[in-house]
Amino acid sequence: MTTLALPASRFTDLLAAEWIKLRSLRSTYWAFGCGALAVVGFNANAARADYVNYPHYGGPIRDDFVYWALRDAFTEGSAMILVLVCASIGAITIVGEYATGLVRTTFTAVPDRRALMAAKVVVLTAVMTLFGALLAAASYASTQAILDGRGLGVPISHPGAWRVVVASALLAPVCALVGMGLGAVIRHSATTMVLTTFVLLLLPSFVTDRYHWTASVRHAFPFNAWARIVDVGYGQSRYVLVPKYPATVAGGWVVFAVWAAVAAVVAVVVVDRRDV
Amino acid sequence: MIEVEQLTKRYGPTTAVRDLSFTVRPGHVTGFLGPNGAGKTTTLRMLLGLVEPSAGTAAISGHSFRRHPRGLRHVGALLDAHDVHGGRSARAHLHALARSNRIPRARVDEVLAEVGLTEAAARRRVGSFSLGMKQRLGIAAALLGDPPVLMFDEPLNGLDPEGVLWVRGLFRRLAHEGRTVFVSSHLMSEMENTADELIVIGRGELIAAESLAAFAARGTAPTVTVRSPQAGALAAVLESEGAVVAPYDEETLKVDGVSAVRVGELAHEHRCLLWELTTQVASLETAFMELTADSVEYAAGETR
């Protein structure tokens, strides 16, 4: 019997393997492709609508139109689609293993489950950040180009404009990690999808900002954090009221970081501890 | 070398594996037998660190498997041929596994050729594979790391006769190369031509751990079948010799307790004409059924 010499086990091997797994599934391309088209398409359409309707807009809108233009750069509808797509892809990376039984083959090849899950987290975060960055950049460029037709496009150098791009880009990895974390806990495809959608999209709008503590809870959801960060005109418009318990941009970034970190840790720890 | 010591796994009130101890030595094909639900798969999963034992230890080459950062060079395992993602091609599946263990990519093509998956099949998505093809893919994955220990859970399911022959030859070759080959099955007939050593369990407990020959000897002693036009006279003679005779029909007797040689001698002495004289060795299947029947009945709560 000849046995191959034992090489050192390197983390980069696991990253490469996870990358092969991600790109060898046809569904990955469909999800990324359809998601990208929908997100950029909806944003461009919002800009187109403003472009067409601008002559009919009154003074208050025209006074604040910089904020309108920046809102078109990444609309709430597109953000919801982005959340759904990214959370699904994140969930599938782990639920797909459990649902098919592949997870047993994977763990037999890599008994060090923590390292394996860490590799999944790193690959997912990297790919989703790139995906989010591409969509945010494409959305910004296309929407402002459309509005430039009336000389209304806002340059990226405008104060706060970068926040729209960066927060929208980062919404992708944050939601993907939340999907992965919930997927690792639940391990069933349908339940994971329902609960992920509920937590990321439905729950935030159920919580009122009327009381201080509920407002704090409300601000702690990633979607609301995103909405606050990209709202460049927050508190600056003469025509829009500011809530009693306002959210902050810094708080929004913290919410992003905490959700991503907690989800990643949960995914690694939970998978390491349970029987398969 | 696989060493299992006082291994126990409880799921709530049910005990899947109870105080199980056995050793599987290298250089042999060892069959792991038991009826459905005997705890074979749970034991294999505990060996691979997929399931945490409630008590006891399961060691492969002296170590708990989960202590290895990467597994493929230590143990090759096929637990369930369906444990793959149907959306990936066979080659991509193996490539990802190989990459995670720093196994050169060329090895993927080697094992694909070894298990007889053609270039066209390797490019196809696994979801479209028949069970037999999935078994071959699972065996290919087990061979990737050229490991000293191999485990297969019901590897013959879904294979065509040619495939079964090939798998038997492969197992024998792997054992001949000095590897430990551990193969589970719920069918004794499958093991009869595959294994040299047997571990038999029933209801999570060890029933037997011995060579195939020793196990076969546990079965009922050979029965002799005699066919003669003078069956009645012959029966009387045989009974006077202490044999247990059971008439099968007017001309046929099933005889226990004497050899075919002695039956022939007695027939000759008493001038009985013989049409047929055969010895029937109890099959391993019978031995297996007799042994495991006890454990099944015990667990069903019947008083005996």
Side-chain angles (χ1 to χ4, degrees):
Chain A
M1 183 179 68
T2 52
T3 305
L4 301 172
L6 270 183
S9 31
R10 295 190 197 157
F11 188 64
T12 48
D13 294 334
L14 299 182
L15 294 179
E18 287 306 317
W19 171 238
I20 293 168
K21 283 182 180 174
L22 190 66
R23 69 181 165 80
S24 60
L25 282 179
R26 217 183 288 171
S27 51
T28 306
Y29 298 93
W30 279 106
F32 280 123
C34 294
L37 278 179
V39 167
V40 179
F42 275 102
N43 287 332
N45 187 52
R48 187 202 58 83
D50 276 339
Y51 172 88
V52 171
N53 295 333
Y54 190 77
H56 313 295
Y57 287 156
I61 296 182
R62 292 192 180 204
D63 285 354
D64 276 354
F65 199 76
V66 167
Y67 306 139
W68 283 61
L70 287 176
R71 200 172 306 156
D72 287 345
F74 216 100
T75 59
E76 213 161 271
S78 279
M80 285 185 176
I81 295 170
L82 184 70
V83 167
L84 263 187
V85 170
C86 295
S88 310
I89 294 175
I92 286 298
T93 55
I94 185 67
V95 175
E97 296 236 0
Y98 278 103
T100 57
L102 174 65
V103 71
R104 285 185 286 272
T105 306
T106 303
F107 290 164
T108 305
V110 184
D112 185 352
R113 297 188 201 171
R114 280 171 185 260
L116 183 97
M117 287 307 296
K120 273 193 192 296
V121 166
V122 170
V123 169
L124 184 72
T125 306
V127 170
M128 290 318 232
T129 305
L130 184 67
F131 179 64
L134 283 174
L135 296 200
S139 295
Y140 197 90
S142 60
T143 52
Q144 303 314 308
I146 290 168
L147 294 171
D148 268 340
R150 290 195 191 280
L152 296 169
V154 179
I156 189 72
S157 56
H158 187 275
W162 64 272
R163 265 172 26 207
V164 178
V165 177
V166 174
S168 304
L170 290 182
L171 187 61
V174 169
C175 292
L177 287 171
V178 172
M180 184 192 242
L182 284 171
V185 173
I186 300 167
R187 306 194 282 184
H188 295 281
S189 321
T191 323
T192 302
M193 288 325 306
V194 170
L195 205 71
T196 306
T197 311
F198 180 72
V199 168
L200 289 177
L201 289 180
L202 295 181
L203 209 51
S205 53
F206 285 150
V207 186
T208 173
D209 57 1
R210 198 163 155 190
Y211 311 104
H212 187 249
W213 75 272
T214 56
S216 303
V217 172
R218 188 182 163 88
H219 299 328
F221 285 102
F223 192 81
N224 294 339
W226 169 84
R228 172 63 191 93
I229 297 172
V230 301
D231 194 349
V232 179
Y234 193 91
Q236 295 184 26
S237 167
R238 280 173 293 154
Y239 309 103
V240 183
L241 290 173
V242 172
K244 199 157 127 200
Y245 304 106
T248 64
V249 170
W253 296 120
V254 171
V255 167
F256 268 24
V258 169
W259 276 76
V262 169
V265 169
V266 164
V268 172
V269 171
V270 162
V271 168
D272 186 52
R273 296 240 171 118
R274 291 203 281 197
D275 287 352
V276 290
Chain B
M1 175 92 103
I2 297 172
E3 290 153 301
V4 169
E5 254 178 73
Q6 297 181 318
L7 198 61
T8 300
K9 180 66 185 181
R10 282 181 288 270
Y11 292 101
T14 46
T15 302
V17 174
R18 187 184 322 222
D19 211 14
L20 190 61
S21 300
F22 62 81
T23 304
V24 181
R25 267 171 277 278
H28 300 278
V29 178
T30 304
F32 191 27
L33 271 167
N36 289 327
K40 302 184 295 291
T41 299
T42 304
T43 304
L44 292 180
R45 286 185 183 174
M46 284 192 278
L47 274 164
L48 291 169
L50 298 173
V51 169
E52 199 63 29
S54 307
T57 56
I60 297 173
S61 309
H63 299 286
S64 159
F65 181 69
R66 267 197 86 174
R67 280 187 39 202
H68 299 297
R70 307 289 182 269
L72 292 180
R73 285 190 170 83
H74 301 281
V75 180
L78 163 59
L79 283 186
D80 185 331
H82 297 295
D83 287 350
V84 288
H85 196 301
R88 269 184 205 108
S89 72
R91 175 169 282 125
H93 172 70
L94 293 176
H95 184 204
L97 285 176
R99 192 69 188 79
S100 67
N101 278 245
R102 195 167 272 261
I103 291 167
R105 193 166 185 181
R107 180 74 185 144
V108 170
D109 291 316
E110 275 175 40
V111 293
L112 279 169
E114 176 144 23
V115 302
L117 286 175
T118 59
E119 180 59 36
R123 273 202 299 263
R124 259 169 61 195
R125 297 199 306 155
V126 178
S128 68
F129 277 22
S130 66
L131 178 55
M133 287 172 84
K134 282 186 183 168
Q135 294 282 22
R136 285 173 189 264
L137 177 61
I139 292 170
L143 296 175
L144 262 183
D146 201 17
V149 176
L150 292 117
M151 290 193 242
F152 303 93
D153 199 0
E154 312 269 356
L156 301 179
N157 285 355
L159 284 175
D160 52 24
E162 183 271 328
V164 171
L165 275 182
W166 164 72
V167 166
R168 284 182 175 148
L170 174 72
F171 289 172
R172 268 195 289 273
R173 201 197 76 213
L174 292 170
H176 186 72
E177 288 168 350
R179 300 175 212 258
T180 306
V181 184
F182 196 35
V183 186
S184 91
S185 175
H186 61 277
L187 292 176
M188 185 70 219
S189 51
E190 279 180 354
M191 287 298 110
E192 215 165 328
N193 301 302
T194 310
D196 338 294
E197 300 284 328
L198 286 183
I199 309 285
V200 184
I201 66 170
R203 286 284 159 181
E205 288 178 273
L206 188 71
I207 291 177
E210 57 202 16
S211 72
L212 192 78
F215 186 78
R218 282 164 169 262
T220 327
T223 301
V224 178
T225 302
V226 195
R227 215 151 71 79
S228 161
Q230 294 136 282
L234 188 59
V237 171
L238 290 169
E239 273 172 349
S240 67
E241 279 281 313
V244 179
V245 180
Y248 183 74
D249 59 33
E250 287 191 0
E251 294 161 349
T252 316
L253 304 173
K254 299 269 182 195
V255 187
D256 283 321
V258 291
S259 67
V261 175
R262 187 72 189 126
V263 174
E265 286 170 1
L266 289 168
H268 181 68
E269 282 169 25
H270 293 86
R271 300 194 57 76
C272 291
L273 179 65
L274 289 191
W275 285 341
E276 184 188 335
L277 180 60
T278 47
T279 305
Q280 270 144 5
V281 181
S283 67
L284 283 170
E285 193 74 52
T286 318
F288 173 56
M289 300 258 278
E290 281 173 7
L291 275 169
T292 54
D294 285 353
S295 65
V296 172
E297 278 173 7
Y298 169 74
E302 286 178 21
T303 44
R304 283 161 51 85

Coordinates of all heavy atoms in Angstrom, one line a residue, chain B residues 18 71 81 238 253 260 270:
Chain B
R18 N -25.5 0.0 22.0 CA -25.4 -0.3 23.4 C -24.1 -1.0 23.7 O -23.9 -2.1 23.3 CB -26.6 -1.1 23.9 CG -26.6 -1.3 25.4 CD -27.8 -2.2 25.8 NE -28.9 -1.9 24.9 CZ -30.1 -1.8 25.3 NH1 -30.4 -2.0 26.5 NH2 -31.1 -1.5 24.4
G71 N -9.7 14.9 6.5 CA -10.0 13.4 6.7 C -9.6 12.5 5.6 O -9.4 11.3 5.9
A81 N -24.9 7.0 -0.8 CA -24.6 7.4 -2.1 C -25.3 8.7 -2.4 O -24.9 9.5 -3.3 CB -24.9 6.4 -3.1
L238 N -32.8 -45.7 9.4 CA -32.1 -44.4 9.8 C -32.5 -44.1 11.3 O -31.6 -43.7 12.1 CB -32.5 -43.3 8.9 CG -31.9 -43.4 7.5 CD1 -32.4 -42.4 6.5 CD2 -30.3 -43.3 7.5
L253 N -36.9 -38.0 2.0 CA -36.7 -37.9 3.5 C -35.7 -36.8 3.7 O -34.7 -36.6 2.9 CB -36.2 -39.1 4.1 CG -37.0 -40.4 3.9 CD1 -36.2 -41.6 4.4 CD2 -38.3 -40.3 4.6
A260 N -24.2 -38.1 4.9 CA -24.6 -38.7 3.7 C -23.9 -40.0 3.5 O -24.5 -41.0 3.0 CB -24.4 -37.7 2.5
H270 N -29.0 -52.5 3.7 CA -30.4 -53.0 3.7 C -31.0 -53.1 2.4 O -32.2 -53.1 2.2 CB -31.2 -52.1 4.7 CG -30.8 -52.2 6.1 ND1 -29.7 -51.4 6.6 CD2 -31.2 -53.0 7.1 CE1 -29.6 -51.7 7.9 NE2 -30.5 -52.7 8.2

